[in-house]
Amino acid sequence: MKRTSFADWPCTVARTVDLLGDWWTPLILREAFYGAKRFDDFESTLGLSRNILTQRLNRLVEAGLLTKVPYQERPVRHEYRLTDQGRDFFPVIAAMMAWGDRYLAPESGEPVVLHHTACDHNTHAEVVCSHCREPLRHEDISARLGPGFPARLRNTALATGRFGEDS
């Protein structure tokens, strides 16, 4: 079955799904945030096949979220370390955890708790407005076309009535 690519869509959500939208990739990143670095660490924790893990790790390296650093010469073995781009994905994982904790956690509570070492308190992700710091709620948001939206599609998108013009 041929996989549809969203890599060229004029939507960063679609492009992100194209890069990370399988079952294993977000879990590999989660494990990297928890401290996994070596192939065997990912394999033993996640229990996925070696060929799938190799494919996903290579994809994350190619995309710039992980870097591959040798830690042993004979035989050559590598660690996978988060790059700045990879570390910037942490809020997405934290937001997924917050949603999962709210709707999918067992009755006994959250399976993993995030602890903010700067203030020494447990925490959870909140998505807030970058201007006023109020929580973002769907009913308070409208989508507008940004400068990166392709000019060739602009009139079509505006015609649907779903988008406003960015001023």
Side-chain angles (χ1 to χ4, degrees):
M1 176 182 234
K2 186 178 177 185
R3 182 181 168 272
T4 301
S5 175
F6 301 115
D8 295 324
W9 277 37
C11 170
T12 53
V13 172
R15 290 178 182 191
T16 302
V17 167
D18 189 72
L19 175 62
L20 304 170
D22 66 81
W23 292 0
W24 294 114
T25 303
L27 296 177
I28 291 168
L29 287 169
R30 178 201 67 192
E31 290 307 310
F33 291 127
Y34 290 167
K37 287 184 175 63
R38 297 183 178 176
F39 189 94
D40 293 342
D41 297 335
F42 293 106
E43 184 182 34
S44 65
T45 304
L46 296 171
L48 72 161
S49 69
R50 294 180 69 83
N51 65 326
I52 296 294
L53 179 56
T54 298
Q55 290 171 2
R56 297 311 186 273
L57 287 169
N58 287 339
R59 175 80 169 122
L60 288 167
V61 169
E62 289 170 15
L65 280 84
L66 295 176
T67 187
K68 196 172 173 178
V69 179
Y71 70 88
Q72 177 179 309
E73 289 185 27
R74 292 195 180 151
V76 175
R77 295 183 186 252
H78 296 89
E79 287 186 342
Y80 295 89
R81 297 182 186 164
L82 289 161
T83 62
D84 288 342
Q85 182 181 349
R87 283 186 292 277
D88 282 348
F89 192 73
F90 177 74
V92 178
I93 295 291
M96 290 173 69
M97 286 177 67
W99 185 89
D101 289 346
R102 181 170 180 178
Y103 294 106
L104 303 174
E107 285 186 30
S108 56
E110 303 93 338
V112 174
V113 176
L114 298 178
H115 188 80
H116 189 225
T117 55
C119 70
D120 197 30
H121 287 89
N122 291 343
T123 190
H124 63 273
E126 290 186 4
V127 180
V128 299
C129 174
S130 61
H131 180 74
C132 70
R133 312 309 291 170
E134 288 292 318
L136 291 183
R137 300 179 323 155
H138 175 256
E139 56 269 18
D140 298 331
I141 298 296
S142 64
R144 297 179 181 216
L145 297 182
F149 197 88
R152 64 183 170 77
L153 300 175
R154 187 170 286 278
N155 288 337
T156 304
L158 291 172
T160 66
R162 295 182 307 164
F163 297 97
E165 283 278 11
D166 191 20
S167 30

